[in-house]
Amino acid sequence: RLADAERDGDRIYAVIRGLGAASDGRASSVYAPLPEGQARSLRRAYEAAGYGPETVELVEAHGTGTTAGDAAEIAGLKLVFAEAPRRDHGWCALGSVKSQIGHTKAAAGAAGLFKAIMALHHKILPPTIKITRPNPALALEQSPLYLNTVSRPWIRDASHPRRASVSSFGFGGSNFHLTLEEYLPSPPPFEASPRGGGKPAWRWRATPTEC
Protein backbone atom coordinates (compact mmCIF):
# COMPACT_ATOMS: atom_id res chain seq x y z
CA ARG A 1 0.00 0.00 0.00
CA LEU A 2 1.08 3.57 -0.68
CA ALA A 3 0.87 4.49 3.01
CA ASP A 4 3.15 1.57 3.91
CA ALA A 5 5.70 2.52 1.25
CA GLU A 6 5.75 6.13 2.45
CA ARG A 7 6.10 5.03 6.07
CA ASP A 8 9.02 2.73 5.24
CA GLY A 9 10.80 5.32 3.11
CA ASP A 10 10.62 3.17 -0.03
CA ARG A 11 11.41 4.62 -3.44
CA ILE A 12 8.05 5.07 -5.16
CA TYR A 13 8.05 5.12 -8.96
CA ALA A 14 4.29 5.36 -9.58
CA VAL A 15 0.95 4.70 -7.93
CA ILE A 16 -1.60 2.14 -9.13
CA ARG A 17 -5.03 3.77 -8.95
CA GLY A 18 -7.36 1.24 -10.53
CA LEU A 19 -7.63 -2.20 -12.10
CA GLY A 20 -10.36 -3.39 -14.41
CA ALA A 21 -10.96 -6.93 -15.64
CA ALA A 22 -13.53 -8.31 -18.07
CA SER A 23 -14.20 -11.21 -20.39
CA ASP A 24 -15.35 -11.06 -23.99
CA GLY A 25 -17.84 -13.82 -23.23
CA ARG A 26 -19.10 -15.91 -26.11
CA ALA A 27 -17.19 -15.14 -29.32
CA SER A 28 -16.64 -16.68 -32.72
CA SER A 29 -13.06 -17.74 -31.96
CA VAL A 30 -10.45 -17.72 -29.19
CA TYR A 31 -8.37 -15.53 -31.55
CA ALA A 32 -11.15 -12.99 -32.25
CA PRO A 33 -11.05 -10.15 -29.68
CA LEU A 34 -14.16 -8.09 -29.05
CA PRO A 35 -13.93 -4.30 -28.55
CA GLU A 36 -16.92 -4.33 -26.21
CA GLY A 37 -15.25 -6.80 -23.83
CA GLN A 38 -12.06 -4.75 -23.76
CA ALA A 39 -14.05 -1.56 -23.20
CA ARG A 40 -15.66 -3.09 -20.11
CA SER A 41 -12.26 -3.59 -18.51
CA LEU A 42 -11.33 0.04 -19.24
CA ARG A 43 -14.53 1.42 -17.72
CA ARG A 44 -14.05 -0.65 -14.56
CA ALA A 45 -10.44 0.53 -14.22
CA TYR A 46 -11.37 4.21 -14.44
CA GLU A 47 -14.30 3.74 -12.10
CA ALA A 48 -11.94 2.20 -9.54
CA ALA A 49 -9.39 4.99 -10.09
CA GLY A 50 -11.95 7.72 -9.50
CA TYR A 51 -11.17 9.68 -12.66
CA GLY A 52 -12.00 9.46 -16.34
CA PRO A 53 -9.89 8.78 -19.43
CA GLU A 54 -9.91 12.49 -20.28
CA THR A 55 -7.01 12.94 -17.84
CA VAL A 56 -4.90 10.07 -19.24
CA GLU A 57 -2.06 11.18 -21.51
CA LEU A 58 -0.38 7.84 -22.24
CA VAL A 59 -1.86 4.43 -23.05
CA GLU A 60 0.48 1.47 -23.24
CA ALA A 61 -1.55 -0.75 -25.53
CA HIS A 62 -1.53 -4.51 -25.82
CA GLY A 63 -0.53 -3.70 -29.40
CA THR A 64 0.38 -7.02 -31.01
CA GLY A 65 0.61 -5.53 -34.49
CA THR A 66 -2.01 -7.87 -35.98
CA THR A 67 -4.72 -6.51 -38.24
CA ALA A 68 -7.64 -7.89 -36.26
CA GLY A 69 -6.11 -7.39 -32.82
CA ASP A 70 -5.10 -3.77 -33.28
CA ALA A 71 -8.41 -2.86 -34.91
CA ALA A 72 -10.36 -4.37 -32.01
CA GLU A 73 -8.17 -2.68 -29.40
CA ILE A 74 -8.40 0.77 -31.00
CA ALA A 75 -12.16 0.34 -31.34
CA GLY A 76 -12.45 -0.52 -27.64
CA LEU A 77 -10.33 2.48 -26.65
CA LYS A 78 -12.46 4.75 -28.82
CA LEU A 79 -15.65 3.46 -27.20
CA VAL A 80 -14.44 4.50 -23.76
CA PHE A 81 -12.50 7.65 -24.65
CA ALA A 82 -15.49 8.92 -26.64
CA GLU A 83 -17.43 8.99 -23.35
CA ALA A 84 -14.98 11.56 -21.95
CA PRO A 85 -16.12 15.20 -21.88
CA ARG A 86 -13.28 16.25 -24.21
CA ARG A 87 -14.01 16.73 -27.90
CA ASP A 88 -10.53 17.60 -29.17
CA HIS A 89 -8.30 15.09 -30.93
CA GLY A 90 -4.78 13.77 -30.43
CA TRP A 91 -4.24 14.40 -26.72
CA CYS A 92 -3.32 10.88 -25.57
CA ALA A 93 -0.10 9.17 -26.68
CA LEU A 94 -0.46 5.54 -27.75
CA GLY A 95 2.29 2.97 -27.90
CA SER A 96 3.36 -0.62 -27.43
CA VAL A 97 6.61 -1.93 -25.98
CA LYS A 98 6.26 -4.96 -28.26
CA SER A 99 7.66 -2.81 -31.09
CA GLN A 100 10.98 -2.82 -29.21
CA ILE A 101 11.24 -6.19 -27.46
CA GLY A 102 8.71 -8.38 -29.25
CA HIS A 103 5.83 -10.29 -27.66
CA THR A 104 6.88 -11.66 -24.27
CA LYS A 105 3.71 -13.80 -24.07
CA ALA A 106 2.79 -14.34 -20.40
CA ALA A 107 5.10 -11.48 -19.35
CA ALA A 108 3.68 -8.99 -21.86
CA GLY A 109 1.54 -7.20 -19.29
CA ALA A 110 4.49 -6.86 -16.91
CA ALA A 111 6.68 -5.43 -19.69
CA GLY A 112 4.06 -2.84 -20.59
CA LEU A 113 3.56 -1.96 -16.94
CA PHE A 114 7.31 -1.43 -16.46
CA LYS A 115 7.44 0.86 -19.49
CA ALA A 116 4.53 2.99 -18.27
CA ILE A 117 5.98 3.25 -14.76
CA MET A 118 9.34 4.42 -16.10
CA ALA A 119 7.59 6.94 -18.35
CA LEU A 120 5.84 8.44 -15.32
CA HIS A 121 8.96 8.36 -13.19
CA HIS A 122 11.19 10.04 -15.79
CA LYS A 123 8.41 12.33 -17.09
CA ILE A 124 9.02 11.19 -20.67
CA LEU A 125 6.56 10.07 -23.36
CA PRO A 126 8.46 7.08 -24.81
CA PRO A 127 8.45 6.25 -28.52
CA THR A 128 6.96 3.29 -30.31
CA ILE A 129 9.33 2.33 -33.11
CA LYS A 130 9.04 0.67 -36.54
CA ILE A 131 5.87 2.54 -37.50
CA THR A 132 6.10 4.02 -40.97
CA ARG A 133 2.59 3.50 -42.37
CA PRO A 134 -0.11 3.24 -39.68
CA ASN A 135 -3.22 1.37 -40.82
CA PRO A 136 -5.52 4.12 -42.17
CA ALA A 137 -8.55 2.02 -41.22
CA LEU A 138 -7.79 2.78 -37.55
CA ALA A 139 -8.66 6.46 -38.20
CA LEU A 140 -6.56 7.64 -35.27
CA GLU A 141 -6.51 11.21 -36.53
CA GLN A 142 -10.22 11.50 -35.66
CA SER A 143 -9.72 10.17 -32.14
CA PRO A 144 -8.15 11.31 -28.84
CA LEU A 145 -5.21 8.96 -29.56
CA TYR A 146 -2.01 9.53 -31.50
CA LEU A 147 0.92 7.21 -32.17
CA ASN A 148 3.96 8.60 -30.39
CA THR A 149 7.03 7.69 -32.46
CA VAL A 150 9.66 9.97 -30.86
CA SER A 151 10.76 10.46 -27.28
CA ARG A 152 9.50 13.76 -25.91
CA PRO A 153 9.17 15.53 -22.55
CA TRP A 154 5.89 14.83 -20.79
CA ILE A 155 4.50 18.29 -20.05
CA ARG A 156 2.01 17.90 -17.24
CA ASP A 157 -1.47 19.40 -17.18
CA ALA A 158 -1.50 21.53 -14.03
CA SER A 159 -4.99 20.31 -13.12
CA HIS A 160 -3.92 16.72 -12.38
CA PRO A 161 -0.86 14.47 -12.00
CA ARG A 162 0.59 12.66 -14.99
CA ARG A 163 -1.54 9.61 -15.68
CA ALA A 164 -0.98 6.52 -17.81
CA SER A 165 -2.86 3.30 -18.47
CA VAL A 166 -1.78 -0.19 -19.47
CA SER A 167 -3.79 -2.81 -21.36
CA SER A 168 -3.08 -6.54 -21.34
CA PHE A 169 -5.44 -8.75 -23.31
CA GLY A 170 -5.18 -12.52 -23.55
CA PHE A 171 -6.55 -15.30 -25.74
CA GLY A 172 -10.25 -15.90 -25.37
CA GLY A 173 -11.01 -12.39 -24.20
CA SER A 174 -9.21 -12.18 -20.85
CA ASN A 175 -9.01 -8.40 -20.64
CA PHE A 176 -7.16 -6.30 -18.04
CA HIS A 177 -6.62 -2.55 -17.87
CA LEU A 178 -4.51 -0.81 -15.22
CA THR A 179 -4.51 2.90 -14.35
CA LEU A 180 -1.33 4.56 -13.07
CA GLU A 181 -0.45 7.96 -11.69
CA GLU A 182 2.86 9.69 -11.04
CA TYR A 183 3.85 9.83 -7.39
CA LEU A 184 3.63 13.33 -5.94
CA PRO A 185 4.82 13.31 -2.33
CA SER A 186 2.47 15.07 0.04
CA PRO A 187 4.08 17.45 2.54
CA PRO A 188 3.14 16.87 6.17
CA PRO A 189 0.14 18.77 7.58
CA PHE A 190 0.33 21.65 10.09
CA GLU A 191 3.36 21.44 12.28
CA ALA A 192 4.07 23.55 15.34
CA SER A 193 7.58 24.72 16.18
CA PRO A 194 8.23 26.75 19.31
CA ARG A 195 10.16 29.96 18.91
CA GLY A 196 11.39 32.63 21.30
CA GLY A 197 9.48 32.88 24.57
CA GLY A 198 8.19 29.34 24.31
CA LYS A 199 5.21 30.43 22.22
CA PRO A 200 4.38 28.10 19.33
CA ALA A 201 4.75 29.50 15.82
CA TRP A 202 2.80 27.68 13.09
CA ARG A 203 4.49 26.61 9.88
CA TRP A 204 2.09 26.08 7.02
CA ARG A 205 2.12 22.65 5.36
CA ALA A 206 -0.50 21.77 2.78
CA THR A 207 -2.89 19.04 3.83
CA PRO A 208 -2.78 16.06 1.43
CA THR A 209 -5.90 15.35 -0.53
CA GLU A 210 -7.10 11.83 -1.18
CA CYS A 211 -7.67 10.94 -4.84
Side-chain angles (χ1 to χ4, degrees):
R1 295 174 297 184
L2 178 59
D4 297 336
E6 290 177 324
R7 179 200 63 208
D8 297 340
D10 295 336
R11 179 177 293 180
I12 302 171
Y13 290 92
V15 180
I16 297 174
R17 290 298 184 191
L19 171 65
S23 170
D24 283 355
R26 184 183 296 274
S28 59
S29 167
V30 70
Y31 301 109
L34 294 180
E36 294 78 9
Q38 297 178 6
R40 279 193 292 271
S41 68
L42 270 67
R43 292 189 185 99
R44 289 168 180 171
Y46 295 121
E47 182 180 0
Y51 55 78
E54 67 274 5
T55 64
V56 176
E57 294 164 337
L58 171 65
V59 169
E60 171 63 15
H62 187 62
T64 57
T66 63
T67 302
D70 284 0
E73 183 168 8
I74 296 301
L77 284 165
K78 286 181 177 180
L79 284 173
V80 176
F81 276 66
E83 298 165 0
R86 297 184 63 164
R87 290 295 172 263
D88 50 331
H89 297 153
W91 45 265
C92 182
L94 179 69
S96 172
V97 74
K98 292 180 180 66
S99 73
Q100 294 156 313
I101 64 173
H103 198 329
T104 55
K105 301 298 181 179
L113 176 61
F114 181 79
K115 175 188 170 184
I117 287 172
M118 289 294 100
L120 288 166
H121 179 67
H122 294 292
K123 302 174 177 57
I124 294 291
L125 291 171
T128 291
I129 62 176
K130 303 174 185 175
I131 298 177
T132 55
R133 291 182 299 166
N135 185 352
L138 301 179
L140 288 174
E141 60 277 3
Q142 281 85 45
S143 79
L145 306 163
Y146 69 93
L147 286 169
N148 191 51
T149 57
V150 297
S151 178
R152 65 186 73 199
W154 190 338
I155 307 302
R156 180 167 72 90
D157 188 320
S159 64
H160 58 79
R162 292 175 180 85
R163 288 170 176 162
S165 299
V166 181
S167 289
S168 185
F169 304 138
F171 288 138
S174 300
N175 306 315
F176 292 89
H177 193 71
L178 195 68
T179 59
L180 302 168
E181 194 173 80
E182 70 174 325
Y183 175 62
L184 298 177
S186 299
F190 289 107
E191 182 180 291
S193 63
R195 293 181 180 173
K199 296 181 180 179
W202 292 94
R203 292 184 292 177
W204 173 262
R205 301 291 179 87
T207 302
T209 301
E210 293 290 332
C211 293

